[in-house]
């Protein structure tokens, strides 16, 4: 059995920072967690990737092609489609190592997860390689200062859950950047009641739409968030333990037993 996390979320939400923190935390526990960069538009990250999609194709390749003439978004989608058309390359890079643990750092283009089939095809390939997978959806915790933006992020998470059909962990990242006032409001966002969040919102031309979306989220009651503070090792450990339980990491390890010598029978006294 193999294990993996599919890390997704809007651009700038802290996905690469999350991947680096998870890898570092595992190393401190003397566990090996590898990270794969699947973002063809990535410029830099703090981890050393197991392999990098940019060795296969980059978004600049698609944008600079005189026939394709893609912009940044179209180029990124083209790169991910190119990856799914070259899955043998991916399989070769991943190898066949039993019990390995890999985090896949994915692009920040939400349509890849909300209504396109590209990521589903990739997930199916990984499952065929015997991976137990979990999706980690990260949004910037600074969204909580605006209930409407928070609902937007929640709807994106819900849509990705439905589209990707995998166990799903939603994370509020960048907790260390929140103001003291915002931190005091945190509890109501971890298990949000969308209709209550919108009660204090000023009415505008989009109010009816926002209220309706809030009701959809409330009716499904599927989206919950875990807070993640990158400066707090205990916070990182809590998130890692939650994900490990979901993907059943370590449950198939053999139980270590100790052999004992059979007790010698006492000689009968004459």
């Amino acid at each position: 059995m193999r294990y993996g996390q599919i890390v997704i979320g809007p651009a700038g939400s802290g996905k690469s920072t999350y991947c680096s923190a998870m890898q570092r935390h595992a190393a401190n526990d003397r566990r090996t967690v590898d990270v794969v960069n699947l973002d063809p538009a990535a410029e830099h990250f703090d981890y050393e990737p197991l392999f990098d999609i940019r060795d296969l194709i980059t978004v600049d390749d698609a944008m600079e092609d005189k026939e394709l003439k893609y912009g940044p978004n179209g180029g990124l989608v083209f790169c991910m489609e190119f990856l799914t058309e070259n899955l043998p390359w991916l399989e070769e890079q991943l190898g066949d190592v039993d019990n390995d643990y890999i985090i896949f750092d994915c692009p920040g283009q939400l349509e890849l997860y909300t209504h396109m089939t590209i990521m589903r095809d990739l997930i199916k390939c990984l499952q065929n390689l015997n991976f137990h997978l979990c999706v980690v959806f990260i949004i910037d915790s600074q969204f909580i200062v605006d209930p409407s933006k928070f609902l937007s992020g929640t709807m994106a998470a819900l849509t990705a859950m439905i589209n990707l059909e995998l166990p799903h962990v939603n994370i509020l990242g960048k907790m260390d950047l929140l103001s003291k006032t915002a931190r005091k409001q945190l509890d109501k966002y971890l298990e949000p009641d969308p209709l209550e969040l919108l009660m204090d919102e000023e009415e505008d031309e989009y109010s009816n739409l926002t209220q309706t979306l809030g009701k959809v989220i409330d009716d499904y009651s599927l989206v919950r968030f875990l807070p993640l503070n990158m400066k707090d090792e205990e916070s990182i450990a809590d998130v890692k333990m939650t994900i490990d339980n979901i993907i059943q990491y370590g449950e198939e390890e053999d139980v270590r037993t100790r052999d004992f010598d059979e007790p010698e029978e006492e000689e009968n006294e004459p």
Side-chain angles (χ1 to χ4, degrees):
M1 187 58 64
R2 308 172 75 180
Y3 306 91
Q5 301 180 30
I6 308 291
V7 181
I8 67 176
S13 57
K15 297 185 296 297
S16 294
T17 302
Y18 166 87
C19 294
S20 178
M22 287 290 116
Q23 187 180 56
R24 185 190 69 250
H25 181 80
N28 291 340
D29 288 342
R30 297 183 180 179
R31 294 166 52 183
T32 299
V33 171
D34 291 309
V35 183
V36 169
N37 176 49
L38 291 183
D39 184 358
E43 295 182 354
H44 63 274
F45 32 71
D46 294 333
Y47 55 82
E48 182 66 32
L50 179 65
F51 64 89
D52 192 334
I53 188 178
R54 296 177 301 175
D55 294 333
L56 175 70
I57 190 171
T58 71
V59 72
D60 289 338
D61 295 334
M63 292 174 60
E64 294 171 1
D65 188 285
K66 294 182 180 179
E67 294 184 3
L68 298 176
K69 298 180 181 179
Y70 282 119
N73 291 340
L76 196 151
V77 171
F78 175 83
C79 290
M80 298 306 292
E81 289 176 339
F82 188 81
L83 174 63
T84 58
E85 292 169 0
N86 291 272
L87 290 177
W89 176 87
L90 178 67
E91 294 173 4
E92 181 182 353
Q93 299 297 316
L94 288 170
D96 185 14
V97 182
D98 192 40
N99 209 42
D100 58 348
Y101 195 132
I102 299 178
I103 300 176
F104 297 89
D105 187 5
C106 298
Q109 196 163 356
L110 285 181
E111 53 262 45
L112 291 170
Y113 320 111
T114 56
H115 63 274
M116 302 181 76
T117 61
I118 297 173
M119 292 304 298
R120 283 215 309 266
D121 295 339
L122 177 62
I123 286 168
K124 186 179 296 184
C125 171
L126 295 175
Q127 289 174 328
N128 289 337
L129 294 175
N130 210 25
F131 273 95
H132 268 194
L133 297 170
C134 172
V135 172
V136 178
F137 185 95
I138 303 177
I139 67 169
D140 191 332
S141 60
Q142 296 181 76
F143 269 39
I144 72 174
V145 300
D146 187 330
S148 295
K149 289 182 180 179
F150 182 77
L151 287 188
S152 175
T154 304
M155 279 296 295
L158 178 59
T159 307
M161 291 171 69
I162 295 170
N163 187 43
L164 299 181
E165 298 180 338
L166 278 178
H168 210 93
V169 175
N170 302 299
I171 291 177
L172 284 176
K174 300 185 179 181
M175 293 294 300
D176 51 299
L177 301 181
L178 287 180
S179 66
K180 291 183 179 180
T181 303
R183 289 179 187 177
K184 292 179 180 179
Q185 305 176 26
L186 183 61
D187 287 344
K188 67 180 181 181
Y189 288 94
L190 298 181
E191 294 193 14
D193 181 340
L195 301 180
E196 181 180 344
L197 290 177
L198 293 171
M199 286 180 60
D200 297 330
E201 284 285 276
E202 295 182 3
E203 292 191 5
D204 56 28
E205 55 186 315
Y206 301 109
S207 294
N208 290 337
L209 174 61
T210 305
Q211 293 285 345
T212 302
L213 292 177
K215 189 175 186 306
V216 170
I217 297 170
D218 188 54
D219 289 344
Y220 278 90
S221 297
L222 292 174
V223 181
R224 296 291 182 271
F225 288 91
L226 292 176
L228 177 60
N229 185 340
M230 293 299 183
K231 295 182 179 180
D232 185 348
E233 287 297 318
E234 185 175 342
S235 176
I236 297 174
D238 288 344
V239 170
K240 182 71 164 55
M241 182 176 64
T242 298
I243 295 171
D244 286 353
N245 288 338
I246 290 173
I247 62 178
Q248 300 175 315
Y249 178 74
E251 290 189 9
E252 293 189 355
E253 292 184 357
D254 294 333
V255 177
R256 296 181 180 179
T257 60
R258 180 178 176 182
D259 295 329
F260 293 91
D261 295 331
E262 292 291 333
E264 296 182 359
E265 294 184 3
E266 294 182 0
E267 296 182 1
N268 295 327
E269 295 181 0

